[in-house]
Amino acid sequence: MRRDRGIALLNALIMVAAISAVAAGLMLRAETSRVRVEDLQISQQAALYLDAAEFLVDPVLRADWERDQNLDHLQEAWARERFDADIDRGLLRGQIRDLQGRFNVNSLSAPSDLAAAQSFERLLRTLGLPVDLGPEIAGYVQARGPVRPGDYAARAVPVRPRGAPMDRIEELRLVRGMTEAYYARLLPFVTALAPGTGLNVNTASAEVLGAVLPTANPAGIARLLAERARLPFETRSDFILRAESLIHPRAIAQAQVPDGGFRVSSNRFEVHFELWLDGRTQSRILTVERSGQTGAARIEYRRAAYP
């Protein structure tokens, strides 16, 4: 009799333990589901905030265009001021950057544009990157294709070289020999715009200016940038005059600027937004074209900001 009671008690304890384990599992699953739902809700709310932030871009770029349609430089409001806004349970930040102050890799799509190839090689050297990337990128965007197309077809996920100018700078990741480290190093200095788009000397970095002005040494570029900070170049002729005075009398005659030449205004921009909400971060990058006729800003495409 006592033995039967002991067995019954043991069975009851086993059943209680099993029920407790099931209950704990259900509670864990419910908590996991709750966290997932919360993450989804926060992500959706963040996306809505970023959608709303996009409406801040047009008024800024349009107002700048209305002040002066023929001049864009780093001392203007669009370049100096951030979109900073406190939001419920978070913070939003944004900044506009000029894409026409960067080297346009699509200028490499014309085999006859030797100036583009040579200036890009100098940029790669300045950045400490392999110069072999230049011909590889050129082969990717030229109609004749890369030297070794089989390397693209043999990848785990086969890639077909574009054979035409890139639509988005992210395509650089597909180029043979391009690593994530190389891409991250190169990205702040390059863009993918239509071939023939001019280089804005009022926003170009020291690295890019040094690449297209082979007669300039670092000291000469530093003098040019200091002069630009004091007084932005108002016209192309103004830039030429001061560059020849500060760098070398033949600085412009021997320049190797890609097709499109020098200019002092821009109509292609990049906007970086970063949002902090409930301890989570979400970012977005916009590529924007500003109309030369109305000053209206049109978003061409958007992407997440993480690598």
Side-chain angles (χ1 to χ4, degrees):
M1 189 71 172
R2 291 180 180 176
R3 183 178 179 182
D4 292 342
R5 289 179 179 176
I7 293 174
L9 180 59
L10 179 60
N11 288 337
L13 291 174
I14 292 174
M15 184 171 294
V16 169
I19 293 173
S20 298
V22 171
L26 291 174
M27 291 177 64
L28 178 61
R29 183 177 299 179
E31 176 63 16
T32 301
S33 298
R34 185 193 66 79
V35 171
R36 287 177 179 173
V37 170
E38 181 180 331
D39 285 343
L40 179 60
Q41 290 175 338
I42 293 174
S43 177
Q44 291 174 337
Q45 186 176 5
L48 290 174
Y49 275 126
L50 290 171
D51 289 345
E54 292 183 1
F55 289 96
L56 300 172
V57 177
D58 177 76
V60 173
L61 290 178
R62 190 190 295 262
D64 172 73
W65 180 86
E66 290 173 348
R67 281 191 294 269
D68 193 334
Q69 302 175 19
N70 302 310
L71 186 65
D72 291 296
H73 55 80
L74 298 177
Q75 297 177 30
E76 292 183 306
W78 65 266
R80 290 187 296 104
E81 299 175 5
R82 288 178 172 268
F83 302 103
D84 286 0
D86 291 324
I87 59 176
D88 184 31
R89 310 191 317 278
L91 175 67
L92 171 71
R93 285 183 177 174
Q95 186 174 25
I96 299 176
R97 299 169 182 171
D98 182 17
L99 288 178
Q100 288 184 232
R102 303 178 184 182
F103 185 93
N104 183 12
V105 296
N106 283 334
S107 63
L108 300 171
S109 63
S112 60
D113 194 346
L114 298 181
Q118 292 169 355
S119 57
F120 189 60
E121 179 179 330
R122 277 191 297 276
L123 179 61
L124 291 172
R125 291 185 186 277
T126 299
L127 299 177
L129 296 174
V131 295
D132 292 346
L133 287 176
E136 289 292 344
I137 295 173
Y140 187 87
V141 297
Q142 290 177 5
R144 62 187 180 187
V147 176
R148 297 169 59 180
D151 289 351
Y152 289 89
R155 293 182 182 180
V157 178
V159 173
R160 182 178 181 179
R162 172 169 284 275
M166 298 180 185
D167 289 331
R168 303 184 180 188
I169 196 63
E170 295 88 349
E171 290 185 60
L172 278 179
R173 284 191 164 112
L174 302 177
V175 172
R176 179 177 175 272
M178 183 67 68
T179 67
E180 283 302 310
Y182 293 165
Y183 176 76
R185 176 66 174 140
L186 188 58
L187 187 59
F189 305 97
V190 294
T191 187
L193 304 177
T197 302
L199 175 69
N200 187 343
V201 293
N202 273 323
T203 59
S205 65
E207 292 84 354
V208 172
L209 286 174
V212 300
L213 297 173
T215 60
N217 56 29
I221 293 295
R223 288 194 298 271
L224 189 65
L225 292 183
E227 177 69 7
R228 185 180 75 179
R230 183 186 69 82
L231 183 65
F233 307 116
E234 294 187 357
T235 63
R236 181 177 180 275
S237 298
D238 180 31
F239 166 71
I240 292 174
L241 182 65
R242 287 196 266 173
E244 291 176 341
S245 172
L246 293 167
I247 296 176
H248 190 277
R250 294 186 56 79
I252 302 303
Q254 297 179 2
Q256 292 182 320
V257 63
D259 184 28
F262 297 120
R263 58 183 298 158
V264 295
S265 62
S266 300
N267 58 18
R268 301 295 294 277
F269 300 88
E270 187 175 80
V271 186
H272 287 233
F273 282 115
E274 193 162 14
L275 179 74
W276 291 268
L277 184 65
D278 284 344
R280 298 165 177 83
T281 303
Q282 193 169 133
S283 303
R284 183 180 295 179
I285 296 178
L286 312 176
T287 298
V288 177
E289 180 181 21
R290 182 173 62 184
S291 169
Q293 285 71 46
T294 66
R298 179 180 66 88
I299 297 173
E300 292 187 311
Y301 70 91
R302 53 183 62 81
R303 63 182 172 87
Y306 47 77

